[in-house]
Amino acid sequence: MSMAREQTLWRRMRFTPVSDALRGQLTGRLDVDQLIAEAGLPAEPAQRVREVVYRTRLWRSEKIDVATELIAHFRDGLDDDVPVDELVAGFGDAKQAARLIRRAKKRNRPWPWHVARATSLAVCVLVGVYVVASILLLMGRPAVTVDYVARLNEPAIAVPEADRAWPIYREALLAGMRDLDFDAMRVQLERGQRGIRAGEPGWGEAVVFLEDHTDLLEQIRTAAAKPGLGLSIGHNWDFTGLDREALHGPIQGDPVSPEGFYEQLAQGSLIGVTLPNASIYS
């Protein structure tokens, strides 16, 4: 029984383009098997055409074009009285022919398809990278390998002892605090008043204080001429008692010792690191 008589209503519906169906025509013109059967080729050429067409894995309309071209190729050979065996042998490998035909047909597809294909590939690559990165993130464990406190302190440590300004500043600060109403100054600091300008309340007392402590001003000028401050940053317990008193004023009690949670906090962490030289007297 021929393939032409086996094309049932369902088969015509299945292989009818949407454009034909919208016009009310069930043409079934995308049926490759039907096309090959109607060509009347011998069994071996017909099988070779069918094999190549299905190996291309193209769209149905493209398969019809390929089948039409191959049928014409074998028909021309038969019309020239070329033996069937010679025609099949001269055709070459079906797998290689299908690969070349598929490549050529895909290049001829419309540009929207190429844009959609490139976009799909880009999305797949992006999703793949995201999945790999997520797996690596879930499999990894956080590890702090850089001691940033030590790195920040390298410039201060590099200043020679004789060239450090901080010991001189500390001595001047401590000497000045002995004659200073520290409680009043703390109230001013808490109110956001970091200094007294001419004409403001307390300006006269400030002038008298400076005139009575010219030696401290000279110490500050000496410290300002030094190449570097030489004060290392750290947690509160890393500073000496004199450093804390010079930076913060008289402090009651000892600072919290690095035990338990604070001990873990101090291991190379920047959380809780104080920058007194950059925040109080800057």
Side-chain angles (χ1 to χ4, degrees):
M1 183 179 294
S2 66
M3 288 294 296
R5 288 184 296 175
E6 291 181 0
Q7 193 179 32
T8 62
L9 177 61
W10 164 248
R11 192 173 183 87
R12 287 200 306 272
M13 294 175 58
R14 178 184 176 190
F15 292 102
T16 297
V18 176
S19 59
D20 293 352
L22 292 177
R23 292 194 296 267
Q25 300 175 356
L26 299 180
T27 59
R29 62 186 177 87
L30 299 182
D31 191 347
V32 174
D33 291 330
Q34 181 71 14
L35 178 64
I36 296 173
E38 292 176 350
L41 294 176
E44 291 187 16
Q47 179 59 32
R48 183 57 59 91
V49 172
R50 185 178 294 105
E51 182 181 359
V52 171
V53 169
Y54 282 100
R55 279 182 177 273
T56 58
R57 304 190 312 278
L58 295 170
W59 297 340
R60 287 179 176 178
S61 60
E62 294 172 334
K63 287 181 179 180
I64 289 295
D65 294 338
V66 173
T68 302
E69 294 174 2
L70 295 180
I71 289 172
H73 167 76
F74 283 108
R75 178 57 60 191
D76 290 341
L78 293 173
D79 292 343
D80 293 338
D81 297 328
V82 179
V84 174
D85 294 342
E86 186 176 339
L87 275 176
V88 175
F91 184 80
D93 182 64
K95 183 177 181 180
Q96 182 179 3
R99 183 170 61 251
L100 296 176
I101 293 172
R102 173 179 172 80
R103 186 182 304 169
K105 284 294 184 181
K106 289 177 66 176
R107 283 199 299 264
N108 292 331
R109 286 179 176 176
W111 66 265
W113 179 87
H114 290 283
V115 173
R117 182 171 181 266
T119 303
S120 300
L121 291 176
V123 171
C124 291
V125 171
L126 181 63
V127 171
V129 171
Y130 181 81
V131 170
V132 172
S134 299
I135 293 174
L136 294 177
L137 179 63
L138 294 175
M139 293 177 60
R141 292 293 182 271
V144 180
T145 58
V146 179
D147 188 349
Y148 290 100
V149 175
R151 181 173 293 184
L152 291 172
N153 282 329
E154 287 178 359
I157 297 176
V159 179
E161 292 283 348
D163 294 334
R164 295 181 181 179
W166 172 242
I168 302 176
Y169 279 129
R170 180 178 59 196
E171 182 180 351
L173 288 170
L174 292 175
M177 287 179 183
R178 298 189 187 99
D179 300 328
L180 184 65
D181 187 351
F182 192 79
D183 293 333
M185 187 182 74
R186 183 184 296 277
V187 171
Q188 286 185 334
L189 291 175
E190 291 175 352
R191 291 176 179 175
Q193 300 176 3
R194 291 186 172 272
I196 301 175
R197 295 181 176 85
E200 294 181 346
W203 174 254
E205 292 81 351
V207 172
V208 173
F209 180 86
L210 293 176
E211 290 176 349
D212 293 341
H213 296 81
T214 55
D215 54 335
L216 298 183
L217 293 176
E218 188 60 32
Q219 280 186 274
I220 293 174
R221 294 190 183 96
T222 302
K226 293 291 184 179
L229 182 63
L231 175 62
S232 299
I233 66 171
H235 296 85
N236 195 28
W237 52 78
D238 295 326
F239 294 94
T240 65
L242 292 178
D243 289 339
R244 288 194 299 274
E245 184 177 353
L247 292 169
H248 304 292
I251 299 177
Q252 300 295 329
D254 296 329
V256 179
S257 59
E259 297 177 356
F261 170 76
Y262 293 98
E263 184 177 3
Q264 298 177 3
L265 194 68
Q267 300 300 321
S269 172
L270 293 179
I271 300 177
V273 171
T274 59
L275 303 171
N277 55 312
S279 59
I280 295 183
Y281 295 102
S282 59

